[in-house]
Amino acid sequence: MSEWTIGIIGGSGLYAIDALEDAQWIPVQSPWGEPSDEILCGTIGHVRVRFLPRHGRGHRIAPSTLNARANIDALKRAGCTDILAISAVGSLSEDLPPGRFVTVDQFIDNTRGRPSSFFGDGFVAHVSMADPVCERLAKHAAKAVVKAGGECAEGATYLAMEGPQFSSRAESRLYRHWGAEVIGMTGMPEAKLAREAELPYALLAMVTDYDCWREDGEAVDVAQIVEQMNANSSLARKAVEVFCRNLPEKRTPSPIDRALDDAVITAPDKHDKAVLAKLDAVAGRLFRQG
Ligand SMILES: CSC[C@H]1O[C@H](OP(=O)(O)O)[C@H](O)[C@@H]1O
Ligand SMILES: Nc1ncnc2[nH]cnc12
């Protein structure tokens, strides 16, 4: 086995992966609450894979209530070195038609009231989100889609909305003015939490619809999204497999592996012991250094 342990977060339409060898669903406990599901653990070629369906098998959990902290913490506990997340998105750009895959490189977080940090009183830390995704994973994901037989655009800005309702036409047009190119309900706070957990993260988005900003365009509905997701899902699965098989044997370190080095501001003698205990997976690297 190589040094990669890839966490795959499966979005709408992707609730398991058949390419996993020796696959087993394993429960992982987290001090942050219930992860969305057990984690499907196995291998693809030389890579260990840990697959977590974001909404749970059967799509039980809504975007506003899914426990992103528990999900990221559980993936870290399961040994992940990196995360590739997959999401269904609406397109806010004429250049991104339904059926197209696109890697995300920026986020606008318009979610409300979701727990969006592992840190707080007793352990205050501020990580940079200037470059919220891992470029090498994103590039590798785009190449994998092409190798799997699809088309993949690179570098879209993702607007994370609260939902669960879809946007009004006025909101959809507003987000375009903000510079957003795709829209979804789950990319935030997931990407923030992955950065806090020092996990390089990339988001591969599958465009399912044009949302509702186009003149005379139809309103988006779940049936349309599911139809497009079903059309995309075998390519998404293939792309995940190619992504893993084509990773180099050696994983060179990423600066994101040490994202907390310059982020913690609380004086060590003021760290709250109970808070530290909860952070054993996310930030344990710092404490083990003493
Ligand atoms: C099924 S339509 C809306 C739903 O799809 C996207 O989910 P995911 O990002 O997990 O693929 C979107 O964010 C909404 O949660
Ligand atoms: N139009 C849309 N808005 C929000 N989330 C989505 N997921 C897929 N399509 C979407």
Side-chain angles (χ1 to χ4, degrees):
M1 277 302 124
S2 66
E3 295 154 5
W4 299 95
T5 301
I6 299 291
I8 306 284
I9 300 180
S12 297
L14 196 62
Y15 308 107
I17 311 188
D18 348 306
L20 278 196
E21 295 141 36
D22 303 320
Q24 225 190 325
W25 287 96
I26 294 182
V28 178
Q29 308 286 327
S30 166
W32 299 93
E34 281 286 305
S36 295
D37 208 324
E38 296 176 343
I39 295 181
L40 183 62
C41 300
T43 58
I44 297 180
H46 62 294
V47 170
R48 273 181 288 269
V49 176
R50 307 285 178 256
F51 175 85
L52 178 61
R54 186 186 280 122
H55 301 274
R57 280 168 282 181
H59 206 119
R60 292 173 293 111
I61 310 174
S64 302
T65 48
L66 68 84
N67 189 337
R69 288 193 299 194
N71 286 351
I72 296 295
D73 178 77
L75 287 171
K76 183 102 187 178
R77 282 175 200 281
C80 292
T81 56
D82 300 82
I83 293 182
L84 176 66
I86 317 281
S87 270
V89 294
S91 169
L92 301 174
S93 161
E94 213 56 82
D95 297 339
L96 294 171
R100 184 66 47 85
F101 281 68
V102 57
T103 55
V104 168
D105 71 346
Q106 283 294 327
F107 289 91
I108 299 172
D109 188 356
N110 209 38
T111 63
R112 315 265 153 90
R114 299 181 185 183
S116 61
S117 178
F118 289 109
F119 307 128
D121 297 353
F123 192 83
V124 181
H126 306 276
V127 295
S128 169
M129 289 302 292
D131 300 302
V133 307
C134 169
E135 206 184 321
R136 80 171 168 191
L137 288 183
K139 281 203 174 314
H140 196 70
K143 276 193 195 142
V145 173
V146 173
K147 250 195 165 143
E151 273 188 75
C152 191
E154 290 184 60
T157 297
Y158 176 115
L159 186 293
M161 61 177 288
E162 186 55 43
Q165 305 84 358
F166 293 113
S167 308
S168 69
R169 292 185 194 276
E171 286 165 335
S172 196
R173 288 191 289 258
L174 175 70
Y175 301 148
R176 272 166 53 81
H177 283 292
W178 286 357
E181 293 159 297
V182 295
I183 183 163
M185 303 177 191
T186 61
M188 284 283 166
E190 189 173 271
K192 287 177 174 168
L193 295 164
R195 179 59 53 90
E196 287 189 344
E198 300 188 317
L199 287 168
Y201 172 96
L203 178 55
L204 178 61
M206 322 186 285
V207 178
T208 52
D209 56 273
Y210 272 117
D211 205 45
C212 59
W213 54 271
R214 287 163 115 208
E215 294 293 326
D216 304 324
E218 282 171 25
V220 56
D221 64 30
V222 168
Q224 182 192 349
I225 291 177
V226 169
E227 192 185 325
Q228 188 61 57
M229 262 164 21
N230 289 341
N232 282 11
S233 80
S234 64
L235 180 55
R237 283 162 212 273
K238 185 78 196 145
V240 166
E241 182 182 350
V242 172
F243 175 90
C244 293
R245 288 197 192 283
N246 284 283
L247 282 166
E249 281 285 333
K250 182 158 175 55
R251 180 187 184 276
T252 52
S254 158
I256 301 165
D257 301 342
R258 307 187 67 89
L260 293 176
D261 274 359
D262 299 315
V264 183
I265 190 159
T266 306
D269 63 320
K270 302 290 181 205
H271 287 174
D272 180 322
K273 294 270 181 325
V275 174
L276 291 197
K278 236 176 142 177
L279 291 171
D280 61 333
V282 164
R285 182 183 71 79
L286 300 182
F287 318 140
R288 280 191 292 273
Q289 274 179 353

